[in-house]
Amino acid sequence: MGIRITVVQGDITEQRVDAVVNAANRGMRGGGGVDGAIHAAGGPEVLADCVRRFPHGLATGAAGWTTAGLMPARWVIHVVGPNHRAGETDRSLLLSCYSGALAVADELGAGTVAFPLVSAGVYGWPRADAIAAALEALGSTPTSVVEARLVAFDAAAHAEIGAALSGRPGS
């Protein structure tokens, strides 16, 4: 049986899953949006682990993990999405964030993973394509992850993801 993709509206830092995915920047030292929220909720251990594990940051499209610190999840899987506003429009880098996160989840033994819409916030990736890319990568990447939970910050994103999910074959 393949991965079950679900959608919820809420705060990714409060998800009771094995791992949450952080839409990080290349520097891996915290930032705004999801990245800032995860660092704030996880506490100083998340940043300390980022500094230790990623002394030179992480490349766009790459994935790596740290502790989740004070969050209910056990791990944070950090991915660096392409910055559409800065001209990074290679969709394969966006797909790589999801497939890379699943590969890291498999290495960790994580069965449940909560994802934001990578690059759809401050990085300006068009939301409809960000949703399509997430569903494409999550639905086609071989993994032992049982549930990939897309966490929508607001009602509009929740409705759009839900509509895209209901239109998928097999849903």
Side-chain angles (χ1 to χ4, degrees), residues 94-156:
L94 183 56
L95 294 169
S96 170
C97 289
Y98 291 96
S99 60
L102 289 174
V104 169
D106 285 343
E107 290 172 21
L108 295 169
T112 54
V113 182
F115 289 84
L117 280 179
V118 178
S119 292
V122 71
Y123 280 8
W125 201 277
R127 186 153 67 187
D129 191 51
I131 293 167
L135 296 180
E136 177 184 330
L138 294 172
S140 67
T141 303
T143 183
S144 296
V145 171
V146 176
E147 179 192 5
R149 183 181 304 169
L150 290 168
V151 181
F153 184 71
D154 60 33

Side-chain angles (χ1 to χ4, degrees), residues 36-50:
I38 284 175
H39 277 268
E45 294 129 22
V46 175
L47 178 59
D49 216 6
C50 281

Side-chain angles (χ1 to χ4, degrees), residues 13 22 30-31 33-47 68-71:
T13 68
N22 179 22
V34 170
D35 194 20
I38 284 175
H39 277 268
E45 294 129 22
V46 175
L47 178 59
L70 302 172
M71 288 183 287

Side-chain angles (χ1 to χ4, degrees), residues 3 16 21 47 51 57 65-66 72 79 92 104 138 142-143 148 163 166 169:
I3 192 171
R16 295 198 176 279
V21 174
L47 178 59
V51 170
W65 67 274
T66 65
V79 299
S92 69
V104 169
L138 294 172
T143 183
S166 67

